[in-house]
Amino acid sequence: MTPPTAGDGDPLVDRVETAVYTVPTDALEGDGTLTWDSTTMVVVQVHSGATTGLGYTYGAAATAHVVERQLADVVTQMSTWDVPAANEAMNRAVRNAGRPGLIADAVSAVDIALWDLKARLLDLPLIRLLGASRCDVPVYGSGGFTTYDEHQLDRQLRAWVEDMGIPRVKIKIGESWGRAEQRDRERIARARRSVGDAVEFYVEANGAYGRKQAVRMARHLDEHGVTWFEEPVSSDDLAGLAHIRAAITPEVTAGEYGYTLAYFGQMLGAGAVDCLQADATLPHCLKGVGGAPSGGITVWLRAAVLAEAAGLELSGHCAPHVHAHAAAAIPNLRHLEWFHDHTRIEDLFFDGTLDPHGGSIHPGADGAPGHGLTLRADQAEKYRTG
């Protein structure tokens, strides 16, 4: 494939900058397979003249080195209009370095920044550049970490439901790789009491259970009206997901750990999920190998098309402010994950964050160009680590 050449007068990418920030969590966080006490955000800024596009991802600090040493020269002097061409050029440039993981993470962050830059140059909200399918994007409150005690869990759930009016919530289960079933059951029952009967209630095991264990747990989920069972087993076990999906009432969902469009095709072909999940930012989400372009908004939109072709909806995973405008552009959106760990950081670091009160956000409603986020450099600086 011959890449497009910049036309006369096209604005070009002048330079690419990165910064790394590490933010302590407000309490120890954990799921079925992992715990953490801090989160690292890698910010990418792409410049064209006096205009700057902003992208970011959550992942290893080394992601910034990949951007600086392997990607910045690739996109510099490319036309800002041709974001898919830049995505393809970056993928080709990192072929021998190994595209999955943090390298694909870096490609995604640059891709997001390029879309923001293009929209800002055109003085358009990103949703106007992409084309809207909807004006509102439903969200669900997500957190409910296995490390929370009953008071922390109750407080967080009530904040989403009672204070913000979000009618959908999710908690983590599968504690200690599924070895704490009784505590999982108690936390599910307690969470339902906190939110009441009218709220949609979801759980996520992060692949911590075995197949039969997940089916056994689903009986308890039914008792408490749980309608969404995310990654009951490893998302690599497509046969297991399909088996569980056929055996239980709650919807089975997965996809956040997919690296390629081919993987998503295999997941859909296996009948493994009722709703596909995809993430434009994380190193384990929507990354390309074997010729499939790596993530960002470019590939997130393509994953939505795959899901639509299979008659399924797509749910955006984490980093809601990255996904908001793209989510409003697809007809088969289910919702976005309003993930506590990320929304806390995004509210801290950026002006222009969105308001989830009432259970939905409205990207582009204020008319701000791009995705509408502006880095609070002074506020972020105290957390800078690279």
Side-chain angles (χ1 to χ4, degrees):
M1 182 187 76
T2 303
T5 57
D8 291 340
D10 279 7
L12 306 179
V13 175
D14 296 330
R15 68 188 190 281
V16 180
E17 296 178 330
T18 66
V20 179
Y21 306 96
T22 299
V23 183
T25 57
D26 55 4
L28 183 65
E29 297 177 355
D31 55 34
T33 62
L34 189 68
T35 60
W36 58 94
D37 60 10
S38 66
T39 298
T40 296
M41 172 190 277
V42 178
V43 172
V44 173
Q45 296 191 85
V46 179
H47 304 273
S48 179
T51 305
T52 300
L54 183 147
Y56 61 91
T57 185
Y58 297 96
T63 304
H65 296 291
V66 176
V67 174
E68 295 163 1
R69 297 173 186 177
Q70 297 188 263
L71 302 180
D73 287 347
V74 174
V75 300
T76 299
Q77 297 304 302
M78 289 192 71
S79 171
T80 59
W81 302 148
D82 301 323
V83 182
N87 187 294
E88 180 66 22
M90 288 188 288
N91 274 280
R92 294 188 177 202
V94 299
R95 186 198 67 180
N96 289 346
R99 277 176 279 187
L102 64 87
I103 290 179
D105 187 13
V107 173
S108 295
V110 177
D111 180 273
I112 293 161
L114 288 170
W115 277 109
D116 184 48
L117 175 63
K118 181 176 179 178
R120 289 177 190 266
L121 286 166
L122 294 168
D123 197 27
L124 290 172
L126 181 54
I127 183 54
R128 295 301 173 203
L129 175 60
L130 298 174
S133 287
R134 61 180 66 232
C135 62
D136 64 321
V137 173
V139 300
Y140 67 90
S142 173
F145 302 107
T146 58
T147 46
Y148 282 1
D149 63 28
E150 61 183 273
H151 302 294
Q152 289 172 300
L153 180 63
D154 179 73
R155 190 161 53 245
Q156 185 179 72
L157 291 170
R158 290 183 185 276
W160 287 324
V161 174
E162 297 175 5
D163 298 344
M164 298 183 185
I166 298 175
R168 313 162 199 90
V169 299
K170 185 177 78 178
I171 68 169
K172 302 284 193 179
I173 62 172
E175 183 179 351
S176 301
W177 286 92
R179 292 191 292 270
E181 275 192 40
Q182 184 56 38
R183 184 164 188 262
D184 284 344
R185 292 190 183 94
E186 292 168 357
R187 292 179 66 251
I188 290 165
R190 190 177 297 119
R192 175 51 86 185
R193 289 195 296 271
S194 293
V195 301
D197 293 334
V199 171
E200 292 181 39
F201 183 21
Y202 308 159
V203 299
E204 177 179 10
N206 288 97
Y209 292 137
R211 294 183 185 183
K212 290 190 175 181
Q213 186 181 24
V215 173
R216 182 169 64 246
M217 281 299 299
R219 300 184 190 123
H220 187 72
L221 301 184
D222 284 342
E223 292 177 19
H224 296 282
V226 174
T227 57
W228 170 284
F229 195 177
E230 186 173 333
E231 287 189 315
V233 296
S234 169
S235 56
D236 290 329
D237 183 9
L238 299 184
L241 288 171
H243 169 79
I244 295 164
R245 182 187 177 209
I248 71 174
T249 302
E251 291 183 293
V252 171
T253 69
E256 65 181 82
Y257 295 99
Y259 276 94
T260 66
L261 287 175
Y263 173 88
F264 286 103
Q266 291 162 4
M267 176 172 278
L268 295 168
V273 295
D274 294 290
C275 182
L276 187 66
Q277 292 176 283
D279 189 313
T281 68
L282 295 180
H284 50 249
C285 309
L286 277 182
K287 310 310 182 196
V289 294
S294 290
I297 291 170
T298 299
V299 180
W300 195 88
L301 294 170
R302 296 174 188 174
V305 174
L306 282 180
E308 185 179 13
L312 297 183
E313 292 177 313
L314 184 78
S315 178
H317 173 263
C318 289
H321 289 94
V322 160
H323 292 99
H325 289 254
I330 65 172
N332 58 323
L333 177 75
R334 174 73 66 91
H335 42 41
L336 289 185
E337 182 173 18
W338 201 256
F339 184 50
H340 171 73
D341 194 28
H342 292 176
T343 56
R344 186 178 65 90
I345 294 171
E346 289 163 13
D347 282 338
L348 179 67
F349 276 28
F350 302 124
D351 287 320
T353 55
L354 300 166
D355 183 356
H357 281 75
S360 63
I361 53 178
H362 301 84
D366 63 357
H371 50 46
L373 300 178
T374 304
L375 182 67
R376 295 174 178 167
D378 292 344
Q379 177 68 19
E381 189 61 30
K382 68 184 73 171
Y383 300 100
R384 187 160 182 174
T385 54

